Amino acid sequence: MSKAAIIENIKARRIFDSRGSEAIEIDVMGSGGSGRSSAPSGASKGRWEVKSYPDGGVTQALRVVKELIAPELIGVSVDDPKTVDVKLHGMDPSPDFSRIGGNTAYAVSLASATAGAVSRAMQLFEHLSAAGSYSLPYPLGNTIGGGLHAKGDRTDIQEFLVLPTSSKSFAQAAAANIRTHKEVSRLIENNGVNLAGRGDEGAWVAPLKTEEALEILTKACRTVSDETGVELRVGADMAASTLWSEKANEYLYQRDNRRLDEGDQIEFVLELIKKFKLAYVEDPLNEESFESFSELTGKVKGTLICGDDLFTTNIKRLERGAKEKSGNAIIIKPNQVGTLSDSFATARFAQQEGYVPVFSHRSGESCGNEIAHLAIALGAPVIKLGVLGGERIAKINELIRIEELLGEKAGMANIGI
Ligand code: PGA
Ligand code: ZN
């Protein structure tokens, strides 16, 4: 047996994410090599996410790393990624990671795992999974964006997404998404609508009604499918908690001029699924509506009904969802729960229960590419990454490299829809 690689030092610094917000970056210096990671941040966060940072924000998080986390972790082995994660929970047993912050925990967890991979001279995905056989996920890309990810004249719905469902390779699927994104802008301008630029995730911002945006995206998918041979379908992240008004007990669509109660919202989503053959709908209902999610899921076939704010990568929330059959897919954003082990536990439980795990970026991203490795390690059939923007492309390009590295051994995953 070779000697265990241990942590020799940990350093934290303040950096910025793609939105220009402060973020934490962690260096883990190990006896077998080093790892560096940062954490992303959300704008439309779920109510049940852990706290990103302790009170006092990044400044306090830097202090916590120096005074608590580094002294506790120096000397700890990085051979098994779980060891560090268990220690992090020991340092902060609160259910919402409020003492050290979920972003702090995630960046430490990920940087330690990276140091572990370096010490074993392995790729991060191999270090995290002994599977031996891997498949490439399909990239779910944001083409038109509104809601909390954009300002000014925009759509009510947060994200209009393109999802390749059949492709020879990841690289071809990613290229098809980029062409669709371009075609969407051409069609918007052809319709005489002004593009207001791009939102936080690189999607086009335009004053379109929900069905107008879906029509444009459907058309673009058809054109690019015909050109490339990659099968493309349409999806949406409705981020419905941001449309929901507790006071009015209704979902409010300002641009659409629509007010819907819970039952009407379910009917509206069903109509959209049917009319646009939606392959994917994320958060179609408010984050507390387990029952309505279950009603909707029972009424559709061949569509992923995905919970993001509903589950917040939290295994307890997913246990309830699995019992009630709420949704059939789950967004996995590791910093919603804090450590790699926690997010993998939720994702593995999802697979056991027949849910499709969708590894996901956040609207405020780092330029790191680790989620590409996390999705491969887990065998997630879909990864949500955006289409354009340096911080999104960094992850897409890493998947292209991994595809090349795996060569013949890897094929595309099966989404199962
Ligand atoms: P975020 O959400 O802004 O919290 O990252 C993106 C999403 O809802 O998927
Ligand atoms: Zn979402």
Side-chain angles (χ1 to χ4, degrees):
M1 272 287 279
S2 57
K3 234 170 80 194
I6 56 159
I7 297 177
E8 292 178 336
N9 201 4
I10 296 186
K11 201 167 175 246
R13 69 180 63 81
R14 186 191 322 265
I15 58 164
F16 299 101
D17 67 19
S18 60
R19 232 189 322 247
S21 302
E22 290 187 356
I24 192 165
E25 181 172 81
I26 298 288
D27 288 346
V28 168
M29 278 73 81
S31 57
S34 303
R36 168 177 291 165
S37 291
S38 169
S41 73
S44 77
K45 285 188 185 173
R47 185 174 155 209
W48 298 99
E49 294 188 28
V50 297
K51 273 188 81 173
S52 302
Y53 292 105
D55 286 345
V58 174
T59 303
Q60 176 61 13
L62 298 181
R63 198 171 298 138
V64 167
V65 173
K66 194 167 172 203
E67 292 171 7
L68 175 69
I69 298 178
E72 288 271 343
L73 288 184
I74 288 171
V76 168
S77 165
V78 289
D79 289 355
D80 179 352
K82 276 194 218 83
T83 315
V84 163
D85 295 349
V86 168
K87 291 252 172 211
L88 287 167
H89 277 295
M91 286 175 237
D92 184 350
S94 68
D96 60 354
F97 258 135
S98 50
R99 184 169 184 210
I100 67 178
N103 275 16
T104 319
Y106 175 54
V108 171
S109 173
L110 193 53
S112 304
T114 304
V118 171
S119 77
R120 294 173 72 195
M122 279 181 173
Q123 293 286 327
L124 180 59
F125 71 84
E126 295 172 305
H127 176 56
L128 294 175
S129 157
S133 82
Y134 304 97
S135 55
L136 272 296
Y138 281 97
L140 179 61
N142 197 352
T143 61
I144 303 172
L148 295 184
H149 290 170
K151 290 202 163 52
D153 282 345
R154 60 192 192 271
T155 53
D156 292 321
I157 286 182
Q158 186 176 285
E159 299 167 31
F160 295 86
L161 302 156
V162 52
L163 178 64
T165 50
S166 173
S167 166
K168 289 205 181 78
S169 68
F170 175 84
Q172 281 179 23
N177 280 4
I178 292 169
R179 281 171 85 152
T180 307
H181 188 275
K182 213 171 253 160
E183 178 65 6
V184 160
S185 71
R186 200 184 66 80
L187 292 173
I188 293 174
E189 285 182 324
N190 269 6
N191 282 10
V193 176
N194 273 343
L195 280 176
R198 296 194 342 222
D200 288 352
E201 293 184 353
W204 298 112
V205 179
L208 296 166
K209 292 191 170 158
T210 300
E211 297 198 44
E212 287 171 345
L214 287 169
E215 262 151 34
I216 285 173
L217 181 52
T218 304
K219 236 189 222 172
C221 285
R222 212 172 292 140
T223 305
V224 178
S225 279
D226 288 347
E227 274 172 24
T228 60
V230 175
E231 197 177 290
L232 298 169
R233 289 181 61 189
V234 175
D237 180 357
M238 300 185 73
S241 296
T242 65
L243 301 170
W244 176 252
S245 157
E246 199 70 55
K247 212 162 114 211
N249 231 356
E250 282 176 324
Y251 296 89
L252 306 179
Y253 295 72
Q254 277 184 2
R255 181 163 303 279
D256 287 3
N257 197 13
R258 196 180 255 123
R259 302 172 71 103
L260 304 177
D261 68 16
E262 190 79 0
D264 292 340
Q265 172 78 357
I266 295 176
E267 283 313 308
F268 179 52
V269 176
L270 283 169
E271 265 173 46
L272 295 180
I273 290 175
K274 205 165 150 207
K275 186 164 171 196
F276 298 99
K277 299 190 180 52
L278 300 184
Y280 178 92
V281 187
E282 184 176 324
D283 284 344
L285 297 146
N286 173 43
E287 62 201 333
E288 304 302 343
S289 300
F290 278 92
E291 260 178 45
S292 306
F293 262 86
S294 146
E295 186 183 333
L296 177 67
T297 310
K299 288 183 175 164
V300 299
K301 238 189 171 158
T303 303
L304 296 180
I305 304 294
C306 187
D308 172 12
D309 294 344
L310 178 73
F311 297 129
T312 56
T313 317
N314 179 315
I315 198 161
K316 293 232 161 61
R317 304 272 300 169
L318 182 61
E319 277 165 7
R320 176 167 172 202
K323 217 176 266 162
E324 298 184 24
K325 299 198 177 355
S326 310
N328 53 25
I330 176 175
I331 284 283
I332 305 289
K333 292 172 174 165
N335 78 324
Q336 286 183 326
V337 279
T339 68
L340 279 186
S341 308
D342 289 306
S343 56
F344 270 60
T346 304
R348 293 218 164 94
F349 177 66
Q351 287 170 320
Q352 256 174 49
E353 294 293 320
Y355 279 69
V356 173
V358 177
F359 253 94
S360 172
H361 68 165
R362 302 215 63 156
S363 51
E365 258 301 330
S366 75
C367 291
N369 57 28
E370 295 94 328
I371 65 163
H373 289 261
L374 306 188
I376 298 266
L378 186 81
V382 182
I383 185 165
K384 195 179 178 206
L385 291 173
V387 180
L388 287 191
E391 71 283 2
R392 323 278 154 195
I393 289 287
K395 290 133 179 95
I396 292 170
N397 287 348
E398 184 68 357
L399 281 159
I400 290 174
R401 291 180 202 110
I402 295 174
E403 181 165 61
E404 180 191 273
L405 184 79
L406 293 172
E408 298 283 288
K409 280 185 284 174
M412 293 301 290
N414 181 6
I415 306 180
I417 50 167

